[in-house]
Every structure is written in structure tokens, then in C-alpha cells.
Amino acid sequence: MKNSFKYLLKNIIRATIGLMICSIGIYLGLVADVGLVPWDSLTMGLANLTSISYGKINISISLTILVIDIILKERVGIGTILDALLTGTFIDILYIVLPITKPGSIIVGLIYLTVGMFIIAFGTSVYMKAGLSCGPRDSLLVAIGKKFPKLKIGYVDMIIKVLLIIISIIIKGPVGIGTVYGMLMMGVCFNIVFGLIKFEPRSITHDDLLDTARRLQS
């Protein structure tokens, strides 16, 4: 079994870089101004409702989902915690250090959003290769999917996102053409990017917190 602090540190750095890349993609979707992908629409809706920053709301949602993941007995590792804490923080920083002018048309906005989704797909592959467990939202999808084994995981993902869109509409989140576009196209972006880099997420063996502790002790 691979062990040592050096091995763990390398994978923490890899996961952090992957999450940073994902944050850039999410940020592009935010400034696209064509309606956010479902999770971001919910987050921004809550941010507008409470006057709390997008990043802090993102962290709050992630931590809430993390608790649900634990209740559903899904594996939780360092990567899960890093995702919950860092993604929102990175996005808040990007708003400060990388101001981007909102596009002047829906077409340009959709280009922003599309590029952002491809960046998210690549960032996801980087952080998942660290093998430190999935982020809270990905873990939730897997956990719910296990409760409905006869339902394809893609349909489970779509049901979750439809519910997110409904909640976003209720709280007056930024739902638009980009929200539906993101719901339909995110999976396509994953398939294209993962195919190009020959990455199969289901082949990754993830460590949870107990596995990581054992590695450090061995």
C-alpha cells in the first residue's frame, strides 16, 4: 500500500489545483449572465436573498451536503472536505483578482458558459485523480443513485437538477437559458473531456478519512 506524508501531500496539492481549475470554470459561468447552471443558480439565489457572498453560500451548501453524505453513509475523504471549503473561497478571490466584463449578447454568454463547463470537466478529472474522495455534490449524486439502483445515474442527476431549478425559481435565483443549457450539456462536456484525456472516473480508488489515517500510520 502506498503511504507516507509525501504521497498524501502530493495528492492534496493535485486535488487543490483541480478545484482551483473548477472554480475558474464556475466563475466563467457566473459572469456569462445567461442563467447559471442549476447548483450555481441555487447558490446565487441564496446569496442575493441573504446578501452573503456567493463563495460563503457555496461553502455553506457544501458543508450541508457533506452532512447529508455522511448520513447516507457515503465515503468522505480529504478531497470532499477540500471541495467544500476551497471552491467557494477560490471563486470569491477570482471576483477580486480577475474581473471579467459581462458579455453583451446571449451568444457570447453561452460561449462563456460552454468554455466554463469544459474547464470544470478538466478540473474535475484533475481533482478526482488524487483519489481523496469526491466533492459533496458528486458524493450526494452517487449516494442517491445507490438508493435507486434501477435508475440510470444520468437520470438521477437530471432529477436533482430539475429540483434545484424549481427551488431557484422560488427564491428568484438567476434561472435562464443557461440553466437549462447547463443541465443538458454538462454531461456532454464531461464525456468529451474525459474521452480526450482517456480518463475513467469509475476506475479511481478513493481513500476516505480512515484510509488516509491508515496510510500515515503504516
Side-chain angles (χ1 to χ4, degrees), residues 92-99:
D92 275 352
I93 293 172
L94 285 168
Y95 268 111
I96 297 171
V97 302
L98 190 65

Side-chain angles (χ1 to χ4, degrees), residues 4 20 23 27 32 35 41-42 64 94 107 109 136 141-142 144 168 195 206 211:
S4 83
M20 189 180 300
S23 299
Y27 176 60
S41 179
L42 174 67
T64 301
L94 285 168
I107 298 298
L141 172 62
V142 172
I144 294 176
S168 296
H206 290 279
D211 292 327

Side-chain angles (χ1 to χ4, degrees), residues 123-216:
T124 299
S125 72
V126 174
Y127 102 78
M128 288 187 72
K129 284 179 182 178
L132 296 178
S133 291
C134 297
R137 292 167 179 78
D138 293 333
S139 294
L140 178 65
L141 172 62
V142 172
I144 294 176
K146 289 178 180 177
K147 299 294 183 182
F148 303 95
K150 294 184 179 180
L151 196 61
K152 291 184 178 180
I153 198 71
Y155 294 134
V156 176
D157 180 66
M158 186 171 291
I159 290 170
I160 291 173
K161 288 178 177 175
V162 167
L163 291 174
L164 291 174
I165 291 173
I166 292 172
I167 295 171
S168 296
I169 292 172
I170 292 173
I171 64 173
K172 299 181 179 179
V175 175
I177 186 173
T179 312
V180 178
Y181 179 74
M183 180 185 70
L184 298 174
M185 287 299 296
M186 190 69 248
V188 175
C189 292
F190 277 122
N191 287 339
I192 292 173
V193 172
F194 289 0
L196 287 173
I197 64 176
K198 295 179 172 56
F199 173 65
E200 173 49 69
R202 288 167 292 191
S203 68
I204 303 295
T205 300
H206 290 279
D207 284 359
D208 60 19
L209 293 174
L210 289 177
D211 292 327
T212 298
R214 293 189 192 102
R215 288 186 185 277
L216 292 175

